[in-house]
């Protein structure tokens, strides 16, 4: 397909004007796979592009779902599940449209880092983005201005990266729109992670979720592992979750066998939880080596010791205890060892009662 035909398939000057060129037809009848060509001048090529894979599968009428992974490069479960899903998905399995970007932040994916090695930015803090901004801002703007106007539902697959491990969970914001809130809760139950976490207490700023919600469309995120490794459970939950959520939305044939291996059945109902306030985020009070007291998923109590900060180079300094400020279930637990003052070492979630 030529650039002219690719551009002609999507209405609006924003797409034609965008610095990132989309090779694929975003409104196909069938399967279309190719790349976003994002310009990046470098030593080996002044006119070089970063080629970000994009796969679109559509058939008949139904909602459009955007599936993303690799927004953070060091979060592998979603990249694994979505790249396999995108490779295997056939138009005969679909009613509606599924747009898939399994390695959205490709420079970070290839470097296995949270931040983009191109501009040292966190893509998930760059939304809604800027067309003429840094590489990450340009990429965020493409998603916001070209993809999101086509989309009814966004599912963005994450883990807790290198810095923490998360109890396997979906997540969403505590939004004001009661109908959309309920629909998102139902979508989370269909995804079927052990926990679904509502955010209410922290200013993330600039996330894909925020850009999605600004358009009034459904947004579901995940945290399916962490510590910079591949969680066996997390990849299974990602595979099951994609099937469950897409069947729930009516865009995937319930009998479609998409994955190479059967990811198994969902175990037990999803527990809806909330992180209600900034007090649930526990920051290291000093630099040091953090020894956690609990693994993610543990029941914890306010006042209980969350772990100890060791000043291993100072022989006369005792370890500094960090205490939980809230009771609940440990959603995210530190584990990388060395932390900086202000790094979050524990996040506590509490039951969401509506
Ligand atoms: Ca993440």
């Amino acid at each position: 397909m030529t650039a002219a035909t690719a551009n002609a398939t999507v209405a609006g000057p924003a797409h034609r004007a965008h610095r990132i060129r989309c090779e694929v037809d975003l409104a196909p009848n069938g399967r279309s796979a190719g790349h976003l060509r994002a310009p990046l001048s470098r030593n080996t090529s002044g006119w070089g592009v970063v080629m970000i894979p994009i796969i679109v599968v559509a058939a008949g009428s139904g909602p459009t779902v955007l599936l993303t992974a690799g927004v953070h490069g060091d979060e592998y479960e979603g990249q694994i599940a979505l790249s396999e899903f995108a490779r295997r998905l056939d138009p005969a399995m679909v009613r509606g449209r599924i747009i898939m970007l399994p390695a959205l932040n490709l420079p970070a994916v290839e470097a296995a880092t949270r931040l983009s090695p191109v501009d040292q930015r966190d893509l998930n803090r760059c939304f809604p983005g800027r067309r003429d901004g840094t590489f990450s801002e340009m990429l965020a703007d493409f998603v916001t201005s070209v993809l999101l106007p086509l989309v009814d539902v966004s599912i963005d697959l994450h883990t807790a990266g290198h810095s923490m491990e998360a109890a396997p969970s979906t997540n969403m914001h505590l939004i004001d729109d009661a109908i959309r809130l309920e629909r998102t809760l139902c979508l989370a139950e269909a995804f079927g992670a052990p926990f679904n976490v509502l955010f209410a207490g922290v200013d993330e700023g600039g996330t894909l979720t925020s850009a999605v919600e600004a358009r009034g469309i459904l947004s579901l995120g995940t945290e399916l592992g962490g510590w910079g490794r591949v969680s066996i459970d997390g990849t299974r939950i990602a595979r099951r979750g994609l099937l469950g959520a897409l069947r729930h939305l009516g865009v995937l044939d319930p009998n479609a066998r998409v994955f190479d291996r059967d990811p198994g059945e969902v175990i037990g109902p999803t527990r809806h939880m909330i992180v209600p306030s900034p007090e649930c985020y526990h920051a290291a009070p000093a630099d040091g080596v953090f020894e956690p007291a609990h693994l993610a998923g543990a029941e914890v109590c306010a006042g209980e010791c969350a772990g100890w900060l060791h000043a291993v180079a100072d022989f006369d300094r005792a370890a500094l205890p960090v205490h939980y400020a809230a009771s609940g279930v440990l959603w995210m637990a530190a584990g990388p060892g060395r932390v900086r003052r202000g790094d979050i070492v524990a996040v506590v979630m509490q039951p969401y009662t509506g």
Side-chain angles (χ1 to χ4, degrees), residues 133-156:
T134 69
F135 188 86
S136 298
E137 290 171 335
M138 173 181 69
L139 188 52
D141 179 66
F142 181 87
V143 174
T144 303
S145 64
V146 179
L147 298 182
L148 291 189
L150 308 172
V151 169
D152 300 298
V153 181
S154 160
I155 300 176
D156 186 27

Side-chain angles (χ1 to χ4, degrees), residues 72 75 114 158-161 223:
H72 293 137
E75 304 179 2
R114 177 181 182 87
H158 283 251
T159 79
E223 299 290 354

Side-chain angles (χ1 to χ4, degrees), residues 30-248:
R31 179 187 168 88
S32 187
H35 300 94
L36 306 180
R37 290 174 174 260
L40 182 65
S41 178
R42 53 211 186 219
N43 284 334
T44 54
S45 178
W47 293 320
V49 290
V50 174
M51 297 173 63
I52 299 167
I54 179 168
I55 306 95
V56 183
V57 177
S61 60
T64 294
V65 182
L66 175 65
L67 302 176
T68 45
V71 166
H72 293 137
D74 59 346
E75 304 179 2
Y76 309 110
E77 290 80 347
Q79 298 174 32
I80 290 168
L82 184 54
S83 59
E84 183 183 357
F85 185 82
R87 180 174 58 80
R88 302 255 314 196
L89 191 65
D90 185 273
M93 303 170 179
V94 171
R95 288 292 172 273
R97 174 170 50 179
I98 306 178
I99 301 172
M100 292 159 280
L101 291 138
L104 175 55
N105 190 353
L106 188 65
V109 165
E110 290 180 336
T113 53
R114 177 181 182 87
L115 304 186
S116 171
V118 175
D119 56 13
Q120 296 302 317
R121 296 290 303 275
D122 178 344
L123 176 60
N124 210 28
R125 299 293 184 274
C126 289
F127 284 88
R130 288 193 303 150
R131 180 193 175 283
D132 296 313
T134 69
F135 188 86
S136 298
E137 290 171 335
M138 173 181 69
L139 188 52
D141 179 66
F142 181 87
V143 174
T144 303
S145 64
V146 179
L147 298 182
L148 291 189
L150 308 172
V151 169
D152 300 298
V153 181
S154 160
I155 300 176
D156 186 27
L157 301 169
H158 283 251
T159 79
H162 268 92
S163 64
M164 305 195 92
E165 177 171 64
S169 46
T170 46
N171 62 73
M172 54 190 278
H173 284 157
L174 181 63
I175 48 180
D176 291 334
D177 183 330
I179 293 170
R180 188 148 45 99
L181 179 72
E182 186 59 33
R183 288 181 64 206
T184 314
L185 289 167
C186 290
L187 180 63
E189 288 173 10
F191 194 98
F195 298 100
N196 176 52
V197 184
L198 287 84
F199 287 100
V202 69
D203 179 12
E204 302 166 283
T207 61
L208 172 56
T209 297
S210 303
V212 171
E213 287 170 350
R215 299 196 65 89
I217 54 185
L218 295 197
S219 173
L220 190 69
T222 72
E223 299 290 354
L224 298 175
W227 288 349
R229 54 88 166 98
V230 176
S231 158
I232 295 171
D233 248 6
T235 49
R236 285 190 187 135
I237 295 167
R239 288 184 173 102
R240 286 200 297 259
L242 287 172
L243 298 177
L246 294 168
R247 287 169 182 160
H248 168 77

